[in-house]
Amino acid sequence: MRKLITFLTMILLTASLTSHAAESPFKPKLPFRSAVITYDITGTESGSEVLYIKEGGAYEAKHRKTAVKIFGISRKTEILDITTPEWVYSINVNEKSGTKNVNPIIYMNEEYSRLSKSDQKKVIANAEKFGNAYMKNLNGEVVKNAETILGYKCDLVTMMGVRVYSISGTGIPLKSSSEMMGVKMEQTAKSVDKTTPPDKVFEVPAGIKITHDPRGDEASRDFARITVQSLVEGKDPMQANTQEAIRRSAAENGEEMPSKEEMDQMMKMFGGQK
């Protein structure tokens, strides 16, 4: 569910890019400079999560402790996701291992900053257009200012059995729920404390082995280039990135490129625009 929630909030942000952003539209302005948000998690997966935010979202750390019980078998997990202006870390505390990659916002900002003012306006307009189209293709819905949670107006995204309430115009969820194939889960923010978190929560804990695969950075750079250029040209960025991934996979494995008919069919599977 975590990945699907992230996907839904990214679609909402794509549809909400604003030309009023100071440096870049890809990093939304938050209603607070710093915060500590605590969540309760109930359902098939239960536990807690704490989201730490500093410097308007330039630094974020998400610490999640849960237990999943399926068919009488319980499994505990502890996950730590850290975002700094330079790096994004994904850490499995139980396994004492993790990965790091360059923060993809860096590449998005680089591509956007190269554009003329007129092309930047095209990016904003087309991002909203395609963000709304993605929701329609996936039978999803966006309701602006659907509910007020802990004093914050929240937008609601509903899709594929998942409902996510995020602080309006941001990617900060305050309530989410899912029910898929008999698996239920709900995550609810219990408090938003606008205090500055300690620096240590944004640091990799001692004893964690971190690996870095530069190929992931190359993929992020390509994604940024293709996304921004597609938005300038009024083309579907999701479709363009999917086609590029298929081409890259075929080249790496020495396979033939799919035919146009096969590509069109794959685009329909991914909700691409024709």
Side-chain angles (χ1 to χ4, degrees), residues 66-83:
T66 59
V68 179
K69 191 171 184 178
I70 301 178
F71 303 122
I73 300 175
S74 182
R75 180 172 62 89
K76 294 183 178 181
T77 59
E78 185 174 354
I79 302 297
L80 179 59
D81 296 320
I82 300 173
T83 300

Side-chain angles (χ1 to χ4, degrees), residues 78-236:
E78 185 174 354
I79 302 297
L80 179 59
D81 296 320
I82 300 173
T83 300
T84 73
E86 296 81 22
W87 298 100
V88 174
Y89 298 86
S90 297
I91 299 168
N92 187 315
V93 178
N94 302 89
E95 298 178 358
K96 297 187 180 301
S97 63
T99 61
K100 76 172 185 178
N101 286 99
V102 172
N103 189 332
I105 293 296
I106 291 176
Y107 300 132
M108 297 297 288
N109 288 343
E110 286 178 353
E111 295 296 330
Y112 184 77
S113 65
R114 295 190 182 107
L115 301 177
S116 65
K117 293 296 183 182
S118 61
D119 281 348
Q120 288 180 352
K121 290 180 180 179
K122 292 177 183 178
V123 168
I124 301 297
N126 287 325
E128 180 178 3
K129 168 188 171 183
F130 286 113
N132 291 330
Y134 297 152
M135 293 302 298
K136 182 178 180 180
N137 285 348
L138 295 171
N139 295 318
E141 182 183 17
V142 177
V143 180
K144 298 287 187 178
N145 299 320
E147 187 172 324
T148 298
I149 302 173
L150 298 176
Y152 296 94
K153 291 183 178 180
C154 293
D155 301 331
L156 168 63
V157 179
T158 305
M159 187 174 69
M160 298 170 64
V162 176
R163 296 166 61 86
V164 182
Y165 291 87
S166 297
I167 296 177
S168 186
T170 79
I172 307 296
L174 292 186
K175 184 168 68 174
S176 57
S177 61
S178 69
E179 183 173 355
M180 294 181 288
M181 296 183 292
V183 178
K184 298 180 180 180
M185 195 179 82
E186 184 168 316
Q187 179 168 321
T188 306
K190 307 306 293 183
S191 66
V192 178
D193 185 356
K194 293 187 287 186
T195 59
T196 302
D199 291 341
K200 66 179 181 180
V201 302
F202 304 102
E203 299 172 356
V204 176
I208 302 293
K209 182 180 179 181
I210 297 294
T211 58
H212 174 221
D213 186 352
R215 291 177 297 181
D217 298 336
E218 293 172 6
S220 291
R221 187 184 292 277
D222 287 343
F223 178 87
R225 174 181 54 79
I226 293 170
T227 296
V228 172
Q229 189 57 43
S230 296
L231 290 172
V232 169
E233 297 174 356
K235 298 178 180 178
D236 182 351

Side-chain angles (χ1 to χ4, degrees), residues 11 37 72 140 144 260:
I11 288 180
I37 306 176
K144 298 287 187 178
K260 183 180 183 303

Side-chain angles (χ1 to χ4, degrees), residues 245-262:
I246 293 170
R247 291 190 188 96
R248 187 183 299 115
S249 177
E252 290 176 353
N253 295 297
E255 301 170 348
E256 291 186 6
M257 275 293 297
S259 66
K260 183 180 183 303
E261 290 75 17
E262 292 171 327

Side-chain angles (χ1 to χ4, degrees), residues 16-29 109 112 117 120 124:
S16 304
L17 294 188
T18 170
S19 57
H20 298 297
E23 295 93 7
S24 165
F26 300 108
K27 189 65 177 177
K29 184 178 180 180
N109 288 343
Y112 184 77
K117 293 296 183 182
Q120 288 180 352
I124 301 297

